[in-house]
Amino acid sequence: MAESVRVLLTEEEVDKRIKELGEAISRDYQGETVHLVCVLKGGVFFMCELAKRITIPVTMDFMSASSYGSSTKSSGVVKIVKDLDEPLKDRHVIVVEDIVDSGRTLSYLLKMLGDRGPASIKLCTLLDKPERRVTDVKVDYTGFEIPDEFVVGYGLDYDQRYRNLPYIGVVEFN
Ligand code: 5GP
């Protein structure tokens, strides 16, 4: 079956919005250092671009959790594949995610990280599919709310492909 990708959000739209998020975070945390926690692999493109747009001191760490195989829906089971290198105690943590879908992965991660004693913990996601939510998750910074479609690009994959697209697209099977 042939695949093609339909553009949902252009590179310019994504870049502009990330710049706005960086400005908002810099304003909200004035005088502090923010500790960005990237959820690999999907969040890495977004976090790098976001970090470049933040004008206050930034530190970062990475973790990897998996709730997806190669299928397109959440299993609800979250496995920590790689934990953070550093403690979160007394830090102003922002968890940076590619997308919040059912919310299962994030509600698990936020609870787990919140138990490590950060000064504060917030969630920043590039994409949000609010229609799909099954678990209540408070998103503090959202790039875009999108419809219930399976998207790729900007770190998001379909069977590990398409992460490198500089825009957000929807895979179509022709
Ligand atoms: P949740 O636990 O919120 O259902 O799922 C979150 C994870 O599911 C995301 O970090 C992402 O890896 C994956 N996911 C959810 N929706 C999509 C989508 O539209 N495209 C891709 N590529 N991954 C998705």
Side-chain angles (χ1 to χ4, degrees):
M1 215 189 312
E3 280 168 34
S4 58
V5 178
R6 168 170 53 86
V7 178
L8 186 67
L9 296 164
T10 65
E11 185 172 1
E12 290 72 26
E13 287 172 314
V14 175
D15 288 350
K16 178 170 174 282
R17 185 68 188 122
I18 294 178
K19 184 166 182 277
E20 290 168 359
L21 290 173
E23 286 165 0
I25 289 170
S26 307
R27 261 196 317 274
D28 294 351
Y29 289 84
Q30 191 92 58
E32 307 285 354
T33 297
V34 276
H35 188 60
L36 302 181
V37 166
C38 175
V39 185
L40 295 168
K41 302 172 186 161
V44 74
F45 287 68
F46 175 41
M47 182 160 111
C48 292
E49 293 307 310
L50 181 67
K52 288 193 266 178
R53 300 299 189 172
I54 296 176
T55 53
I56 56 170
V58 171
T59 55
M60 30 185 124
D61 204 348
F62 300 84
M63 72 182 306
S64 176
S66 86
S67 63
Y68 269 63
S70 53
S71 74
T72 56
K73 69 177 170 44
S74 180
S75 63
V77 179
V78 181
K79 184 169 141 226
I80 304 301
V81 180
K82 181 212 171 294
D83 206 337
L84 297 171
D85 292 336
E86 293 169 35
L88 297 182
K89 183 128 185 54
D90 300 332
R91 289 179 135 147
H92 290 288
V93 174
I94 303 181
V95 176
V96 180
E97 252 288 23
D98 49 3
I99 190 164
V100 184
D101 185 37
S102 71
R104 287 192 185 105
T105 312
L106 260 304
S107 77
Y108 178 90
L109 289 182
L110 286 172
K111 165 87 182 63
M112 187 191 88
L113 300 176
D115 287 347
R116 298 183 184 184
S120 66
I121 184 162
K122 286 193 177 180
L123 173 60
C124 177
T125 184
L126 179 59
L127 304 172
D128 187 3
K129 290 187 201 169
E131 285 170 51
R132 298 259 307 164
R133 200 74 91 254
V134 297
T135 311
D136 198 22
V137 174
K138 181 173 175 283
V139 184
D140 301 284
Y141 301 97
T142 306
F144 301 91
E145 290 194 354
I146 59 165
D148 180 14
E149 291 188 285
F150 191 78
V151 291
V152 294
Y154 232 94
L156 289 152
D157 74 305
Y158 174 64
D159 252 343
Q160 297 303 325
R161 289 177 297 132
Y162 301 118
R163 288 191 198 277
N164 58 316
L165 295 180
Y167 54 86
I168 301 292
V170 176
V171 183
E172 293 186 333
F173 301 93
N174 315 297

